[in-house]
Amino acid sequence: MTDASIAPARTVRAARGSQLSAKSWQTEAPLRMLMNNLDPEVAERPEDLIVYGGTGKAARNWEAFDAIVRTLEGLEPDETLLVQSGKPVGVFRTHEWAPRVLIANSNLVGDWATWPEFRRLEALGLTMYGQMTAGSWIYIGTQGILQGTYETFGAVARSLAAREGEPYEHSGGSLAGTLTLTAGCGGMGGAQPLAVTMNEGVVLIVDVDETRLRRRVDHGYLDELADDLDDAVARVLAAKASRTPLSVGLVGNAATVFPELLSRGVAIDIVTDQTSAHDPLSYLPEGVTVDEWHGLAASDPEVFTTRARASMAKHVEAMVGFMEAGAEVFDYGNSIRREAELGGLAHDRAFAFPGFVPAYIRPLFAEGKGPFRWAALSGDPADIAATDRAILELFPDNEHLRRWITQAGEKVHFEGLPARICWLGYQERHLAGLRFNEMVASGELSAPVVIGRDHLDSGSVASPYRETEAMADGSDAIADWPLLNALLNTASGSTWVSIHHGGGVGIGRSIHAGQVVVADGTDLAAEKIARVLVNDPGSGVMRHVDAGYERAIEVARDRGLRVPMMEG
């Protein structure tokens, strides 16, 4: 298992099967998931340890990676490894209920939490950017964001139906006959085309890098590539007219393409964006080629940042124009509105359209619903098929979930270790986790299962430009909540827990936490699962109760969540 982690130039791939190279599945699991993050099928630039999101890394450097691997292989069942921004810094004796790994990535003291200061420290070898699930070793490829994107576009369908005065239950939640325009087809944005077509819509997705688009075609997330803008427009408008789901990729710069499409008056119904705008060095300015990109960004980051922000201002101004023309327009959580403002766009223009969480997702968060994900450590797709069946058996009345699981089984290409994701809520996730644990114990699954989630979840993040934008009580920037979530998951028995800064929206703009628990078929794992997978989403309900959301208050009362300020 470690042979691939010795040479400087290497291909990393997680082990498969039921044979351990570590001392227990509780340490084998983080070892395999770390390696899975860097599998060439999964990572965007594995040779640089970059998993997704422009610069989101799994480990600080190859020396640190090798030390993490070596330490996990020898870690005892009552020891905990501490990882500071991608570097293993200590092993301490704890106990078997404690996490085997505790991770902190990219965290800076407030006044120092800026991109220039972060990059200075990164250049000194003192930190790394962990994004969300890159540095917490639970990225599962493009599928990891796919259902959240599917859920979002389903909510967009509801919004469009409401505009027309059509009740959602009669609309079927369909985007049929609509055209979506978006940009960014990397590790996160690459989920958009499939999410739209799974909702029966048509989508045109723009990316500066042809290799990203071709990769999504190869993996089944994108249907086809257009030759040029005229060809792309003809294809998507024909599909829209026939109400035929279709996703078309176009090589181009969104700052150029979006204004051109607006000026042409192309009949676009929905506009969003998922470029890596959170980091200006990961957004290609107009006038710079892909080949020039990284060299120019490294040689003069300040000038590159200025140029990138100027292009983002054009990009966002066009998005506002589409909104004024009647399209449904939203920020997809990459901080592009703020970057456009820094690029010279007036505040009221930059923030003329909402973020996707307050627009579509917050009602789900109030119920503790979020991205529950799992991966088969066996590497056997049959194990995921078995868990899919188990999910449908556990929640037979959830038609939306049944539709998602069925389509995912048919359409989702596995990248690295086979995995699945679905959105489950408070007092639901633990039922799935316990069932998976039983299946490992009985031999229905050929090896243990890792259960985690995105950091983008109900109670695990403070991000005023994304997950906590426009909170009802004005608590957008209060970061106590994700820290409490991490502490609670540590106390509840998670296998590994992480606290990150900046993921998704950039340095200075978010604090977020992740947790992973391993279903290894043991009674101890069952006890941990029963706590972690109740408490983790429960903290999200708690957070929304505190902010005054009536649905969260109802859920807390109906499902037995104790909130002291509601008592007495």
Side-chain angles (χ1 to χ4, degrees), residues 22-352:
K23 293 192 173 184
S24 76
W25 281 108
Q26 297 293 314
T27 46
E28 184 79 18
L31 179 59
R32 292 193 188 189
M33 294 308 293
L34 164 64
M35 291 185 160
N36 191 62
N37 268 17
L38 294 171
D39 189 311
E41 292 184 9
V42 176
E44 290 186 352
R45 288 162 50 199
E47 68 278 7
D48 296 322
L49 293 156
I50 290 174
V51 182
Y52 76 92
T55 57
K57 300 177 75 173
R60 192 180 305 182
N61 51 47
W62 286 108
E63 182 183 10
F65 171 84
D66 291 336
I68 293 170
V69 169
R70 184 173 62 248
T71 305
L72 287 172
E73 288 177 335
L75 202 67
E76 298 292 342
D78 64 348
E79 290 182 326
T80 296
L81 167 65
L82 303 186
V83 178
Q84 180 264 320
S85 290
K87 182 176 78 172
V89 291
V91 174
F92 293 88
R93 187 179 181 191
T94 53
H95 53 82
E96 62 181 5
W97 270 85
R100 299 283 65 82
V101 188
L102 292 171
I103 300 171
N105 282 319
S106 320
N107 293 289
L108 297 174
V109 173
D111 281 357
W112 285 261
T114 65
W115 273 118
E117 179 63 10
F118 172 81
R119 292 189 182 112
R120 185 185 74 82
L121 295 168
E122 184 182 37
L124 293 173
L126 298 174
T127 190
M128 74 167 203
Y129 198 59
Q131 259 292 348
M132 287 190 158
T133 52
S136 59
W137 313 339
I138 191 61
Y139 186 64
I140 58 171
T142 305
Q143 184 188 174
I145 195 62
L146 178 60
Q147 198 197 0
T149 311
Y150 170 80
E151 295 281 353
T152 298
F153 280 106
V156 172
R158 293 194 289 274
S159 179
L160 290 174
R163 279 196 196 184
E164 301 299 322
E166 181 181 4
Y168 173 61
E169 59 268 22
H170 297 149
S171 76
S174 175
L175 290 176
T178 67
L179 171 57
T180 296
L181 171 65
T182 187
C185 205
M188 302 297 283
Q192 295 177 100
L194 182 54
V196 172
T197 58
M198 288 175 78
N199 279 288
E200 303 179 310
V202 179
V203 58
L204 173 60
I205 185 165
V206 181
D207 199 293
V208 295
D209 189 343
E210 183 175 350
T211 62
R212 291 179 185 165
L213 294 166
R214 293 202 177 278
R215 179 176 183 174
R216 300 306 163 203
V217 172
D218 291 343
H219 288 184
Y221 284 85
L222 177 64
D223 292 329
E224 56 194 45
L225 262 64
D227 296 329
D228 53 38
L229 183 58
D230 291 337
D231 179 43
V233 170
R235 294 189 197 200
V236 296
L237 289 181
K240 175 182 176 177
S242 64
R243 300 175 68 86
T244 303
L246 179 69
S247 57
V248 176
L250 174 68
V251 180
N253 192 306
T256 303
V257 174
F258 278 40
E260 174 63 21
L261 290 169
L262 180 65
S263 70
R264 292 188 184 193
V266 177
I268 292 169
D269 305 281
I270 302 158
V271 182
T272 188
D273 169 73
Q274 214 166 13
T275 57
S276 294
H278 66 281
D279 178 357
L281 300 189
S282 297
Y283 183 102
L284 188 67
E286 288 184 295
V288 178
T289 68
V290 171
D291 290 339
E292 295 169 333
W293 188 346
H294 298 297
L296 288 175
S299 64
D300 198 337
E302 291 187 11
V303 169
F304 193 96
T305 293
T306 298
R307 293 184 65 180
R309 285 172 170 163
S311 290
M312 286 187 233
K314 284 187 63 179
H315 184 166
V316 172
E317 178 65 40
M319 293 175 72
V320 176
F322 281 112
M323 182 191 72
E324 292 171 338
E328 186 94 357
V329 180
F330 58 96
D331 178 310
Y332 215 161
N334 59 357
S335 208
I336 195 169
R337 292 170 299 171
R338 174 57 177 157
E339 291 298 324
E341 183 181 23
L342 292 172
L345 190 61
H347 178 84
D348 61 342
R349 299 292 288 174
F351 287 86

Side-chain angles (χ1 to χ4, degrees), residues 291-517:
D291 290 339
E292 295 169 333
W293 188 346
H294 298 297
L296 288 175
S299 64
D300 198 337
E302 291 187 11
V303 169
F304 193 96
T305 293
T306 298
R307 293 184 65 180
R309 285 172 170 163
S311 290
M312 286 187 233
K314 284 187 63 179
H315 184 166
V316 172
E317 178 65 40
M319 293 175 72
V320 176
F322 281 112
M323 182 191 72
E324 292 171 338
E328 186 94 357
V329 180
F330 58 96
D331 178 310
Y332 215 161
N334 59 357
S335 208
I336 195 169
R337 292 170 299 171
R338 174 57 177 157
E339 291 298 324
E341 183 181 23
L342 292 172
L345 190 61
H347 178 84
D348 61 342
R349 299 292 288 174
F351 287 86
F353 53 87
F356 78 105
V357 172
Y360 310 115
I361 300 299
R362 184 147 298 136
L364 299 177
F365 280 177
E367 296 184 21
K369 286 187 177 179
F372 177 84
R373 64 176 60 170
W374 63 98
L377 294 178
S378 65
D380 187 350
D383 281 355
I384 292 300
T387 57
D388 283 350
R389 292 191 294 271
I391 289 289
L392 296 181
E393 291 167 2
L394 283 169
F395 306 104
D397 299 326
N398 189 329
E399 176 60 24
H400 185 73
L401 178 62
R402 184 201 64 77
R403 188 163 62 247
W404 160 254
I405 290 290
T406 301
Q407 289 196 73
E410 295 169 351
K411 299 179 179 180
V412 171
H413 173 90
F414 293 135
E415 297 168 317
L417 290 172
R420 184 68 75 228
I421 185 169
C422 69
W423 277 45
L424 294 176
Y426 178 56
Q427 298 292 1
E428 292 180 335
R429 299 187 199 186
H430 72 294
L431 300 177
L434 290 171
R435 179 71 183 102
F436 296 168
N437 200 58
E438 291 169 358
M439 294 169 76
V440 174
S442 69
E444 291 178 75
L445 301 180
S446 57
V449 170
V450 160
I451 303 169
R453 57 162 172 76
D454 198 347
H455 290 203
L456 186 162
D457 198 15
S458 175
S460 60
V461 60
S463 184
Y465 292 138
R466 194 160 90 172
E467 289 87 349
T468 54
E469 178 181 344
M471 291 295 290
D473 64 344
S475 60
D476 304 22
I478 301 296
D480 297 335
W481 302 102
L483 302 181
L484 288 171
N485 174 267
L487 291 169
L488 178 62
N489 281 318
T490 298
S492 300
S494 294
T495 305
W496 68 97
V497 178
S498 53
I499 297 175
H500 293 197
H501 166 217
V505 290
I507 292 296
R509 297 173 184 164
S510 69
I511 301 291
H512 44 94
Q515 71 78 20
V516 184
V517 64

